[in-house]
Amino acid sequence: MSDVDVRKRVKVTWSDDLSHNSEEDRERERQAQLERELAEQPVKPVYEPDELQKLITYIMKMTTLYDLRDEDWNDDAKKGIEEWLTEPKALILCVYFKGDKLKASSDVPMSPVYDLTYFLRQPDYVFKAETFHDEIVFGTFVDSVEANLIQILELMYAPYFFAITTWPDSVKSEFCSQLHTFLAKLTDMYYKMLGLTVLYIPREGQQLSFEKASTNRELVKRLEGVVVYWTHQIKSCIEDQSSVASQKELLCPSDEYEFWVYRHENLNALAHQLQNPAVKHITKILVTTHSTFIHQFQSLCEEIMQKIKEATSNIEYLQVIKQPCAILECVVDPDEISNHIPTIINLFRFIWMESPYYNSETRITNLFKALSNQIIILCKNYIKLEELFDGQTKKALGEFTKCIDCCKKYREIYDLMAEAHSERNPGTWELDTGSIFNYIDSFVQRCFDMLDVCNCMIIFARIDELEVISKPMFGGAHGDQFEAKCDQIEHMFHDALDNVKAVANTILDVQAPSWYDDILQFRTVIKDIEIIIENLVETVFEGVNHVEEAVIALFSLHNYSKRKNLKRIFKRKTADDEVQEAKKETVTSRGTYVADLPSFAGRAALLRVRRNRLAYLKKVLTDASVWMMPCSNSEDVIMHVNRLMGAMDVAIRELWISWTHNLDEKCSAGLNKTLMRKSAENPGLLECNIDVNILELCKEASHWENLGLDIPLYAYQVYMKSKTVFYVYESVLAVVKGYNKILDSLSEEERQLFKPLILVKCS
């Protein structure tokens, strides 16, 4: 850039000298100073329209910004360039994107930008179109500090330091050596973050012939240091056989293919760099000086070509799995994944058996691990944890179950195809199965963990999108206490569920081991809840006196009985105690009956009451079986109930038969007896003479009729008159009782007065 005289602006000072004789003199001096200042200020350039447009076009073409397009140049940006060109005092022009809008300004942006192209001028310098490219200083800054630092050091400062001749040789050699090392490491680090291997090529010594450069021992030593670092870079690139993806990322078969494409490109780029004349010049210098470091570097350069050949071959063979894996990546439903697995595994076998470089067990194992990762990713995408925590537990149960089945099918298909391969080629399928299915097993276990969480949400928190689960309700004096205990259980579970929700991002991340501690903490809380429920069940059943209350209590606690660990305590509450008690009572009280009931029908009625009780309990339990947890001995209990009810029916029938056998076919003859007679035990008194057997027959017949059993015809004829018989019987008893009472109240003397009446015969 040519030097331009910089004119300093004259500072304006106003004279306050009071020696002036008049105000007019001071005014003239002030005007003179202003004229001198204006004369020294540069005049703004006036461009012809064509020249101005040409300068603007130059700046537009020299601007290098990411994704800059012709249509991005708006009128405001062009106006900013024009203002900068016509304002000589503006030293810098910045062109950058502010959001999506391109902006050109003579001010540095105050907010961060992705990249920025700058143009510099000398103060008060006026550009001309024909010399613009020679006079302008420009460049581009990007958001990477490393890239800007490399550019400034390598292109601006390093050539200056290398050209210094005033420093002592030892100082310059040490400084330049450290500068080379710094630039080499900085360049390597910056491009390695971009996934590239880029060599730092020093500019020092490029202007010298290799003969002259080889005589400079300090220069050769510095170049040897650079070549040693090149050797390290090339060796790292060659030995890099694993994907460059993050360790926290699950790699898929398509990633393996992309890795080899990347490796092929990286090796080719490295080989291209080695063809750089500057690299060859440095190599020639070190060969001339018989450097001990150049031989390893040259052998690595030859090895690069072999690695390029290997990468090319692997790309050709891995390309066969590209389309099937792309189709697999589009699968949404885990049930459909198993349809694609056999094809992909067969292609893996083809690569294993045919590829000259990809036929190692380690690489095929990695390929299967990538397939396992792909299946895990598809299952993770299918599972919607946010919907689960929003309350869709039944849907989540189906999702986790599908994913578990999918992983199991994958394992079954793998084992089946491995077995078929081994039968055809014994001993050739020796892959690390544990490594292949390590993440699969971990993912399946996490799905089982979440199945447990889903079930707990339904059982302990009553969260179910398909069914409204009622809150447990209890009667009795302690009902409020029991309900408060259920509320406590829900609060405890919600706290534990919130902790699980807080680590939702690690639940299905098979590379996050922290989940094992989280689920252990959750299960500890669930264990405490189960203990509380066990104590609650025992307390509730302490106040239960019969089966109906037990069924009601079980219904209130029914939701808890779905928990596997609690089934044991609920099974103990569904035993057949009352059935056994009824059986025992039937045997021990076989001959007893209620005092005011007849002998045969009374015993039969008692049996019928017990039978009806059993039938009612059977109906209650049968109706409750719709929601009650299955009981292992339920069928035995029902069988015992049916047998006991049948035995009671038989006993009732036997009592009826015994009664009918004890009946006298001429029982109606008892109706012909006189109603009253003189008492043989109490002379002078009367007693009822109605046949007691007739009364007993009527009572028996009445109860047998209620029991639904037939009455013999001869007995039925008597029973039909039972109302009259009992009416007459009650009337006769009243007469006899009244007559006897009157006689008992009379003394012997008084009885003599009524002797004619007392001696009257009873008819």
Side-chain angles (χ1 to χ4, degrees):
M1 179 184 296
S2 62
D3 294 331
V4 179
D5 294 336
V6 180
R7 299 177 183 176
K8 293 185 178 180
R9 179 177 178 179
V10 178
K11 184 181 293 185
V12 179
T13 57
W14 302 99
S15 175
D16 292 327
D17 190 357
L18 298 179
S19 62
H20 292 283
N21 295 326
S22 65
E23 184 68 28
E24 290 81 3
D25 293 336
R26 288 196 294 272
E27 183 64 26
R28 282 195 298 271
E29 182 180 351
R30 188 181 298 112
Q31 292 294 336
Q33 288 181 351
L34 289 174
E35 290 175 359
R36 287 195 298 271
E37 179 184 346
L38 291 173
E40 292 179 356
Q41 287 184 352
V43 180
K44 290 187 177 182
V46 178
Y47 291 103
E48 293 293 331
D50 293 342
E51 185 178 14
L52 181 60
Q53 184 60 41
K54 188 177 292 185
L55 289 172
I56 294 174
T57 303
Y58 287 159
I59 291 177
M60 290 171 59
K61 290 183 177 180
M62 295 167 69
T63 301
T64 53
L65 298 176
Y66 176 75
D67 199 25
L68 177 62
R69 305 173 186 178
D70 292 339
E71 56 267 24
D72 292 328
W73 289 101
N74 52 65
D75 294 338
D76 291 340
K78 294 178 181 179
K79 183 67 175 176
I81 297 174
E82 181 180 342
E83 291 176 355
W84 182 73
L85 290 171
T86 57
E87 180 53 64
K89 290 189 176 298
L91 303 182
I92 185 171
L93 172 67
C94 298
V95 184
Y96 55 91
F97 278 103
K98 188 172 184 179
D100 294 333
K101 184 178 180 181
L102 186 65
K103 189 173 182 180
S105 172
S106 57
D107 297 323
V108 177
M110 302 304 293
S111 58
V113 295
Y114 180 77
D115 50 3
L116 176 148
T117 297
Y118 60 88
F119 297 87
L120 301 177
R121 61 146 44 109
Q122 290 287 347
D124 300 329
Y125 186 80
V126 177
F127 290 109
K128 295 182 180 180
E130 56 271 16
T131 61
F132 179 77
H133 292 91
D134 297 328
E135 304 298 337
I136 191 66
V137 175
F138 72 100
T140 298
F141 282 122
V142 296
D143 64 338
S144 172
V145 177
E146 297 87 353
N148 296 325
L149 186 59
I150 291 172
Q151 188 177 21
I152 293 174
L153 285 178
E154 188 174 356
L155 300 179
M156 184 178 296
Y157 291 105
Y160 171 76
F161 290 125
F162 295 148
I164 288 179
T165 58
T166 57
W167 289 4
D169 292 342
S170 59
V171 174
K172 178 182 177 181
S173 178
E174 178 67 20
F175 181 84
C176 292
S177 178
Q178 295 296 335
L179 182 59
H180 284 313
T181 302
F182 175 74
L183 285 172
K185 291 185 177 181
L186 183 62
T187 302
D188 184 29
M189 179 197 69
Y190 172 67
Y191 286 102
K192 188 173 288 185
M193 290 189 297
L194 301 177
L196 301 173
T197 302
V198 176
L199 305 178
Y200 160 68
I201 302 176
R203 297 174 180 271
E204 186 182 15
Q206 295 298 321
Q207 71 281 5
L208 302 175
S209 64
F210 72 91
E211 295 90 351
K212 186 175 181 180
S214 60
T215 60
N216 188 337
R217 295 181 59 186
E218 295 298 331
L219 174 61
V220 170
K221 190 181 295 185
R222 292 195 292 272
L223 295 179
E224 282 182 337
V226 173
V227 171
V228 168
Y229 197 82
W230 286 354
T231 303
H232 166 72
Q233 285 182 275
I234 296 173
K235 188 180 295 185
S236 299
C237 180
I238 291 175
E239 293 175 354
D240 182 17
Q241 298 292 330
S242 59
S243 179
V244 295
S246 170
Q247 293 297 320
K248 293 185 178 180
E249 183 180 355
L250 293 177
L251 301 178
C252 305
S254 58
D255 295 320
E256 183 71 9
Y257 171 78
E258 295 297 334
F259 165 71
W260 283 103
V261 172
Y262 147 77
R263 180 170 171 78
H264 182 268
E265 294 175 352
N266 194 30
L267 290 171
N268 273 308
L270 189 56
H272 178 73
Q273 293 177 66
L274 295 175
Q275 300 302 316
N276 189 307
V279 175
K280 290 186 175 182
H281 182 68
I282 294 173
T283 304
K284 202 168 185 179
I285 293 173
L286 297 184
V287 169
T288 303
T289 59
H290 303 287
S291 173
T292 57
F293 303 103
I294 195 63
H295 298 294
Q296 185 180 10
F297 173 73
Q298 289 177 325
S299 63
L300 287 175
C301 292
E302 295 174 358
E303 190 175 350
I304 286 176
M305 304 312 297
Q306 180 63 27
K307 295 299 180 181
I308 291 175
K309 183 179 178 182
E310 177 188 4
T312 303
S313 173
N314 289 343
I315 290 172
E316 291 176 354
Y317 280 95
L318 288 173
Q319 199 164 10
V320 300
I321 66 172
K322 186 177 180 181
Q323 183 178 0
C325 290
I327 296 174
L328 178 62
E329 290 175 2
C330 298
V331 174
V332 176
D333 192 341
D335 289 340
E336 299 178 5
I337 293 177
S338 59
N339 299 332
H340 303 273
I341 292 177
T343 302
I344 296 176
I345 293 181
N346 272 326
L347 292 175
F348 287 177
R349 288 181 61 250
F350 165 75
I351 295 172
W352 189 4
M353 299 173 68
E354 300 296 333
S355 173
Y357 298 101
Y358 214 92
N359 56 358
S360 67
E361 294 177 357
T362 301
R363 286 184 173 173
I364 295 299
T365 298
N366 290 336
L367 210 52
F368 274 105
K369 287 168 64 177
L371 177 59
S372 299
N373 294 340
Q374 181 66 66
I375 293 173
I376 291 173
I377 291 172
L378 293 174
C379 291
K380 285 175 62 177
N381 294 337
Y382 178 73
I383 296 171
K384 302 296 186 294
L385 288 177
E386 62 276 6
E387 293 181 357
L388 165 62
F389 293 122
D390 286 340
Q392 299 187 33
T393 50
K394 289 292 178 64
K395 181 181 178 182
L397 283 172
E399 291 173 351
F400 287 116
T401 303
K402 271 191 175 184
C403 292
I404 291 172
D405 293 340
C406 170
C407 294
K408 288 182 177 179
K409 286 181 182 178
Y410 167 49
R411 182 63 182 264
E412 292 172 0
I413 293 172
Y414 173 88
D415 291 338
L416 184 64
M417 298 188 72
E419 182 180 354
H421 178 89
S422 298
E423 289 178 358
R424 189 175 184 87
N425 303 290
T428 57
W429 193 293
E430 299 293 339
L431 301 181
D432 186 0
T433 308
S435 175
I436 293 173
F437 293 99
N438 181 30
Y439 282 166
I440 287 288
D441 295 339
S442 177
F443 182 76
V444 169
Q445 180 57 49
R446 290 170 187 244
C447 288
F448 277 118
D449 293 341
M450 291 310 297
L451 283 178
D452 190 26
V453 172
C454 292
N455 287 321
C456 288
M457 290 174 67
I458 297 173
I459 295 170
F460 300 126
R462 301 180 292 111
I463 301 175
D464 190 337
E465 76 273 22
L466 302 180
E467 178 185 358
V468 177
I469 303 175
S470 301
K471 182 179 178 181
M473 300 181 68
F474 302 90
H478 301 290
D480 293 340
Q481 298 177 12
F482 299 153
E483 291 175 8
K485 188 64 68 174
C486 293
D487 291 338
Q488 177 190 352
I489 291 171
E490 286 197 19
H491 289 314
M492 288 178 63
F493 178 78
H494 277 294
D495 291 340
L497 184 62
D498 289 339
N499 293 334
V500 173
K501 193 184 302 184
V503 295
N505 58 324
T506 64
I507 293 176
L508 300 178
D509 185 359
V510 292
Q511 294 177 311
S514 60
W515 168 248
Y516 299 111
D517 296 330
D518 298 327
I519 192 62
L520 180 61
Q521 183 180 2
F522 175 81
R523 285 180 173 146
T524 302
V525 176
I526 297 302
K527 186 64 178 177
D528 295 338
I529 291 176
E530 290 173 352
I531 294 174
I532 294 175
I533 292 175
E534 288 181 4
N535 296 333
L536 175 63
V537 172
E538 294 294 345
T539 306
V540 169
F541 273 85
E542 286 177 359
V544 170
N545 298 314
H546 48 76
V547 172
E548 292 91 331
E549 290 183 355
V551 171
I552 294 173
L554 286 174
F555 182 76
S556 299
L557 299 167
H558 167 63
N559 207 42
Y560 297 144
S561 68
K562 298 175 183 177
R563 182 70 178 169
K564 183 178 179 181
N565 294 343
L566 296 174
K567 290 183 182 294
R568 171 182 50 83
I569 189 170
F570 281 95
K571 280 185 178 180
R572 295 206 305 264
K573 304 304 177 184
T574 56
D576 57 342
D577 296 340
E578 188 148 346
V579 177
Q580 298 297 334
E581 184 178 348
K583 184 177 181 181
K584 182 179 179 181
E585 288 180 356
T586 302
V587 174
T588 57
S589 60
R590 194 176 188 87
T592 60
Y593 58 93
V594 181
D596 60 346
L597 294 179
S599 173
F600 293 98
R603 285 178 286 171
L606 188 58
L607 287 173
R608 178 59 62 86
V609 169
R610 290 173 179 165
R611 183 197 181 283
N612 290 342
R613 170 68 177 169
L614 287 177
Y616 171 72
L617 294 179
K618 177 184 174 182
K619 182 178 183 303
V620 169
L621 294 176
T622 302
D623 294 342
S625 65
V626 176
W627 53 264
M628 193 181 294
M629 61 177 292
C631 182
S632 59
N633 61 341
S634 59
E635 295 182 359
D636 294 337
V637 172
I638 296 298
M639 182 183 68
H640 290 157
V641 170
N642 291 334
R643 286 181 179 177
L644 187 55
M645 290 170 59
M648 289 179 176
D649 290 336
V650 171
I652 292 172
R653 187 74 179 178
E654 289 176 350
L655 287 171
W656 177 81
I657 293 173
S658 298
W659 173 67
T660 55
H661 287 173
N662 290 335
L663 287 177
D664 186 0
E665 294 183 0
K666 298 180 180 181
C667 57
S668 60
L671 296 174
N672 299 325
K673 289 184 178 182
T674 58
L675 298 178
M676 291 178 287
R677 67 183 179 188
K678 290 183 179 181
S679 175
E681 297 177 358
N682 299 303
L685 299 181
L686 297 178
E687 62 182 17
C688 181
N689 194 37
I690 296 177
D691 192 349
V692 177
N693 292 328
I694 295 295
L695 297 175
E696 191 69 21
L697 183 149
C698 291
K699 289 181 181 180
E700 291 275 5
S702 175
H703 287 288
W704 287 119
E705 185 180 39
N706 291 335
L707 292 173
L709 294 175
D710 296 332
I711 302 172
L713 181 60
Y714 51 87
Y716 186 74
Q717 292 175 349
V718 176
Y719 171 64
M720 290 298 294
K721 301 175 182 179
S722 60
K723 289 185 179 181
T724 304
V725 170
F726 281 111
Y727 175 75
V728 172
Y729 175 69
E730 294 294 335
S731 300
V732 170
L733 284 179
V735 171
V736 170
K737 185 177 180 180
Y739 178 81
N740 291 339
K741 184 177 181 180
I742 293 172
L743 287 182
D744 287 339
S745 65
L746 296 176
S747 62
E748 290 296 331
E749 292 79 6
E750 290 173 336
R751 286 187 181 186
Q752 294 298 324
L753 294 174
F754 298 100
K755 186 175 181 180
L757 297 176
I758 294 174
L759 294 176
V760 175
K761 291 184 178 180
C762 297
S763 58

